Amino acid sequence: MMAAKGPKGRSGGRAFARLDFSRTARTGFGETVFGPGKTPEQMVAIFKAFASRRTPVLATRVTPEQARAVADAGLRADYFPAGRLLAASGRRGRGAAARLKGRVAVLTGGTADIPVAEECAGTVEFFGGTADRYFDVGVAGLHRLLSVIDEVRKADVVVAVAGMEGALPSVVSGLVSAPVVAVPTSVGYGAGAGGVAAALAMLNSCAEGVSVVNIDNGFGAAVVASRMLRRLKA
Amino acid sequence: MMAAKGPKGRSGGRAFARLDFSRTARTGFGETVFGPGKTPEQMVAIFKAFASRRTPVLATRVTPEQARAVADAGLRADYFPAGRLLAASGRRGRGAAARLKGRVAVLTGGTADIPVAEECAGTVEFFGGTADRYFDVGVAGLHRLLSVIDEVRKADVVVAVAGMEGALPSVVSGLVSAPVVAVPTSVGYGAGAGGVAAALAMLNSCAEGVSVVNIDNGFGAAVVASRMLRRLKA
Amino acid sequence: MMAAKGPKGRSGGRAFARLDFSRTARTGFGETVFGPGKTPEQMVAIFKAFASRRTPVLATRVTPEQARAVADAGLRADYFPAGRLLAASGRRGRGAAARLKGRVAVLTGGTADIPVAEECAGTVEFFGGTADRYFDVGVAGLHRLLSVIDEVRKADVVVAVAGMEGALPSVVSGLVSAPVVAVPTSVGYGAGAGGVAAALAMLNSCAEGVSVVNIDNGFGAAVVASRMLRRLKA
Amino acid sequence: MMAAKGPKGRSGGRAFARLDFSRTARTGFGETVFGPGKTPEQMVAIFKAFASRRTPVLATRVTPEQARAVADAGLRADYFPAGRLLAASGRRGRGAAARLKGRVAVLTGGTADIPVAEECAGTVEFFGGTADRYFDVGVAGLHRLLSVIDEVRKADVVVAVAGMEGALPSVVSGLVSAPVVAVPTSVGYGAGAGGVAAALAMLNSCAEGVSVVNIDNGFGAAVVASRMLRRLKA
Amino acid sequence: MMAAKGPKGRSGGRAFARLDFSRTARTGFGETVFGPGKTPEQMVAIFKAFASRRTPVLATRVTPEQARAVADAGLRADYFPAGRLLAASGRRGRGAAARLKGRVAVLTGGTADIPVAEECAGTVEFFGGTADRYFDVGVAGLHRLLSVIDEVRKADVVVAVAGMEGALPSVVSGLVSAPVVAVPTSVGYGAGAGGVAAALAMLNSCAEGVSVVNIDNGFGAAVVASRMLRRLKA
Amino acid sequence: MMAAKGPKGRSGGRAFARLDFSRTARTGFGETVFGPGKTPEQMVAIFKAFASRRTPVLATRVTPEQARAVADAGLRADYFPAGRLLAASGRRGRGAAARLKGRVAVLTGGTADIPVAEECAGTVEFFGGTADRYFDVGVAGLHRLLSVIDEVRKADVVVAVAGMEGALPSVVSGLVSAPVVAVPTSVGYGAGAGGVAAALAMLNSCAEGVSVVNIDNGFGAAVVASRMLRRLKA
Amino acid sequence: MMAAKGPKGRSGGRAFARLDFSRTARTGFGETVFGPGKTPEQMVAIFKAFASRRTPVLATRVTPEQARAVADAGLRADYFPAGRLLAASGRRGRGAAARLKGRVAVLTGGTADIPVAEECAGTVEFFGGTADRYFDVGVAGLHRLLSVIDEVRKADVVVAVAGMEGALPSVVSGLVSAPVVAVPTSVGYGAGAGGVAAALAMLNSCAEGVSVVNIDNGFGAAVVASRMLRRLKA
Amino acid sequence: MMAAKGPKGRSGGRAFARLDFSRTARTGFGETVFGPGKTPEQMVAIFKAFASRRTPVLATRVTPEQARAVADAGLRADYFPAGRLLAASGRRGRGAAARLKGRVAVLTGGTADIPVAEECAGTVEFFGGTADRYFDVGVAGLHRLLSVIDEVRKADVVVAVAGMEGALPSVVSGLVSAPVVAVPTSVGYGAGAGGVAAALAMLNSCAEGVSVVNIDNGFGAAVVASRMLRRLKA
């Protein structure tokens, strides 16, 4: 537990996070940290702690400011702005005990869904998996999806990321035999804005084989997909 | 205005409906009556009133009991149970001043959506239009839709009826150039039940050219489509 | 597909949009682009790509900054700030294969609804149609609507734009025989704010002939109306 | 307080209602009782208690069974089934200390709203006021409202009862100078069913001078209107 | 109709508002204008137009910037920042054809509700009425309400303004015989935030005699109350 | 674990409940069982199992049919229909290891809230506590509450049960110094029906010292209150 | 497509379902049918059609009446009432091309969740998989879960079924390394009733590795789990 | 009542708060003030008023600017930024008539919940109680909670603070015998964001003994807990 540098009041001395340095050993996947709400200094402190242990760590929803602070502190970490990810390798490489077998196909309905999809794909890669990206293949122009569907069918898990009416997972799931993890995004406006319409649509999918994570939760979909891939090793 | 046969209280003598016997002449479409909440006796009275004027009338959401009462009263009216419609022709035939040009394609996602679709198709036909039915062509099995899409493309208006995630209008609208009237249905359960998920999805359609009527409102879609068809004559 | 100039991370090199340069030829209507979320540079790149192909394009929800960037880049495009539209003509003029017959009447309840109505009217015009504007004719002062209704009755499609209680489409639809496309706006506050009250009211319209698009979706109403007008040519 | 005849458990001996026999003297209006949930026996007991004191009482939402039980018990009470009201006069007549000056106009959008409107009108009359009924004058057929508006303008308070999109109060309030009490009804279905769409629309009315009571609360509107009328005496 | 000074696009030349200069003569109350969304220049233009006709006007939700712009333009108008109102008198004084008889009592639950209450009280005064203020008399400290209730009982209309659980109108209505107009405010946070909890509570009031306006709509309550007061003259 | 007598399918032999016979010893409170969904036979089996161990048990939301079945089986259990409770004592009496010190005051706003309040009071008594009942003391008639408040102030915990606008806990909490457990009830209709308005109001209480349990959850309030009382022994 | 035996109206001759007899061959899993809304006669017709092709079929949410009708028609099918499933084997046994490797652990929070869990487990078994049941291990009595967790850890997929606050998947996912499919159930009442609270909680799980299907959708979870298991063969 | 220094309009001279200087004497607890919406000058005025009476006061949700203004004014007050509290002691010390017996255990699910938990703990301490902090012990890593549960069991009241799925109170309540006050926090995003998912989950807790305060209302939980502790003295 890291001591916070915050105010010295009665409640001072509280840590801002309990970090788990032995997570890779215990669960097979490296520790991950949620970026929002953390100051650049806190982010630096976290990456420093992992670096000193030569343990991998992944931060999500990282702002350019947070990433720059970590770089300025001389810490080695790769920033993937498309997915808002900041990743530091450990002694044995990326954030996984072993490479994952199989492939994850990550699809988006539109271009505005890409940040969420990149968060997913990048996290799968941090965990030692392989992610294939198929972006902007939404159902309003079906030819786009049909032109890549043969490739998508080869994946062991499909992650379908979509906002607005959230129809992509339903259509995809009818065309593949792998499980489909649906990620509603907050893309859209008006009635059902903020991803609510998409989330409800995905939960109500008439297609079998679809399960859903929270709105914009590309990271969550990546963990589900990676847990699936890991069983392929057994 | 018809005098109600109800209770003889202080508010007695109120009519249960203001009927419009000159509607066809005025608007081009015959009068329509919403069935729910009306007693079989009230339904008989309504059909008797129109029959005496040899004016067409269409009742929607008609129960078998209501239909039987009208038949038992010796009134001539066709009952279409699949669409829960009861239609009486007038002096000059069905409920329209003139036959409508063009065609309406009525699609459903599943079989449970058919009653709503039949309410739509039957109403279009009452108004003098032509409705082609394409049922159970939902997006979870895309081949079903693709096998009929060339026929659907010939329609002047497409009505897409779907419950659950309500994705059908989005997919269809990307494949046709006609306007698409989306009808969410209350088919489905759980989160967003009662048609809410479908209605939100349809309002959020990423496909252009879609407008939406209320949940289960096959009749409403029929009026919109028929109003469109009527302009084709001009 | 255009290469993004974004970050050079692992996911770098992704395109920010799949543009469709042959849309006019294929669908009769020019390509349209949703402005929000695009940098001025991306907007310039898009308009440059269409200009080099002498193909029309319309951008919606365009900010003055985006419009200025396109103008500063020496690209020819008309900016309509009232409707937040930026339009570039192609080799054969505006964004449509042929002029549309018929007329669209665009009404608003109040003055705050005008930007949405102008988005609609301007888009119809980009697609080669004719839009007549009747603004600030809301139901709280009925004389305003009644004074223009004879003109509105001549339209082939009516688009009724309103926020708050969203009653305009119901009243209008009872007075005309054309289909009415209702556009709820986010004008209003308190219970049902953000257009929710208006959208629900419009879906529940007691008047026949009304269909609804998403909140503030003037563009969507324009496409529905234009698809209707196009059938008039047949 | 009346002892309940209910179960003889530990909590036995509780009263099912605290009745207020001096309400007319104190507030000017007679006591009222909400019918639902009361057994016919309880209803009889209540009317008996008031009869023995020769004090007026009004029960709302009364079923035919409850009304019949009171009649069978030989108690004098008028049943108005259209408004589901059961009223017993007191020593000095109806349920008010004095007749109310002025008039209440009670309007409905459709025929299905009439039970709520009759509950309102009948309650106003019980309180000694005058209620004029204008039913089925909804906004989808504006001529119906316009044909009675000159009469409505003479009222001191207008109660506008409507379901579905709930637009009637907005239109009416723009045409009169009296305060308008809006009563949303649960008439309608689909999105915003159960009166929610109407209630939200009424709260968001763009017309000045409208206040709203709960869905189907014709009684509540009557009390508001009667309180207004009573000030006219001062 | 005033010509807007906005952009000179195709839709240029639209007015930003239809002003009603003969409102006082027609309805007895002066014209009112909703401030939000109007530029300081537009506000100046509006007040100039009324000044030139020596006609009263009231603007609500006015920012200090808007008020200063009007003052800087040399126009005579009183700014009441507590109620965010800007009022200009006409030839015959304030915004009413005649002084209103009777009194309005305006109560608030807490101090945070005061801006809404002042909007109400100030508007009543602009319309020629008398408003008595009783602020911070919420139900959590009942003695505060009970200490002023005898004064409140003298009012002809009571306006009860409250956020959070919105219980004030219920408690007040049980203690007075005048009609109570309830104004929910957006004061509060968490579940039911933004005034939703208060609005629902007020619509569900177990106390008779309460009607409700939209959240934060102090102006709306003032119009309802003023319409009531005006009938007292008859 | 008791074997179910249900169908003999592949999943047959499942138990319908895991009963906890040593709960009193372990937690100080006896086992409780939720009645709904259980057949009369299952209820009998449960009470038989506890009787054979001479261990107390309380069932909630018990129907008369369930209670009669237990009585017909010759099992000793007290049925309190007002609170829908069925209680069997154990070897050492009621369902608690020891009598609880202190008192719980249980208040209701109206008479329709009494079943929930009796569920609470009866459960407290089963757990060995003392419950004082103050029913029908809602805020619309404040004198009712004020006439009992001195007694209520003596309680160690106050449970305030109310539907509709749910204002009772706020008013009470401002008048007492004990913690107030608020129980929203599903009494009411229209907007916020089913207890939603009351629950939101209670969570938003402007009065300090209020915490809330689920709608109609009289049992839950009793457990919270009893846990509080038990600390008084320490 | 099977011809319906329904009414002989204009819309007569429609089929009530498009059945897919080659599904096992194409997707590896047998065809499934949703029971609700089908008459016993329709259910018989469906099972007859599959029997004649010696093809497996599974019906879900089957009522005892439907099951009895199929049995009375002399068709061979196993009814599992605990999971409301009716299953008919095909030429090569159950509803799968091949047995699935690995195991699915199906957990429930309470006993009321069991029907949903049995629907899931039975469907997995129909598809050739192995399901281990751990029922009534909800988080309010943590020892129940901890006593079986070592067995649960051996599963390749965990399905966690829970109503009310829906906390089970979060707690379980922190204790296992397999993917967790969360099934909210409609068990519970009050605020967030009908499974809404559970569904929201599961989507918001703070534990990684959880994805969610619709409320009560045990079948959907089974398909997701079975698709996962099938990849284990590769 | 303090005179506001605000604008000198017609409504000028209103106080911005009614302060209660004798609260400690009357209720046993000192006065508290809600910080948001108050200017630094108003905060200074409040603390000055209490200082002059040597009476304790606690302000919640205090910004650093407000705290600094009070300090700059030379007033003695302790600022606890972790809990956003500003506390001034009175003549007889902190904000309570006497020290409270017993202990409150304050738990959080994650680190982001800490500000709400500190608001609770600090308020308990201001009221003279003892609060033990157990932070970041959420259910996704059960070992964290189990490692402190023996200590938690010693508390007389447990306050469980959690966002996202809000499962902590359910798990804790099954492990302790003290009453559990649940505080949902607005930590989380997507479906059920803003604390709604957590609040619903807590109201639906399957564990007995849980009651709930509003989202982020650490102060409210502290008052409930302190009222409980105070009874221990009796």
Side-chain angles (χ1 to χ4, degrees), chain B residues 132-153:
Chain B
D132 302 310
R133 291 156 174 87
Y134 306 92
F135 293 167
D136 201 17
V137 295
V139 302
L142 213 51
H143 56 285
R144 301 179 299 183
L145 176 61
L146 296 180
S147 72
V148 299
I149 196 68
D150 286 340
E151 283 302 307
V152 174
R153 279 204 183 97

Side-chain angles (χ1 to χ4, degrees), chain A residues 93-104:
Chain A
R94 277 296 165 73
R99 278 212 66 76
L100 296 174
K101 287 191 182 173
R103 314 186 73 85
V104 181

Side-chain angles (χ1 to χ4, degrees), chain F residues 1-2 17-26 29-31 45-57:
Chain F
M1 220 172 74
M2 304 183 55
R18 292 182 185 232
L19 301 174
D20 187 348
F21 300 108
S22 57
R23 194 180 168 89
T24 311
R26 212 179 66 238
F29 292 148
E31 174 74 324
I46 289 169
F47 272 77
K48 199 168 280 179
F50 279 92
S52 70
R53 283 163 181 82
R54 301 187 54 196
T55 304
V57 65

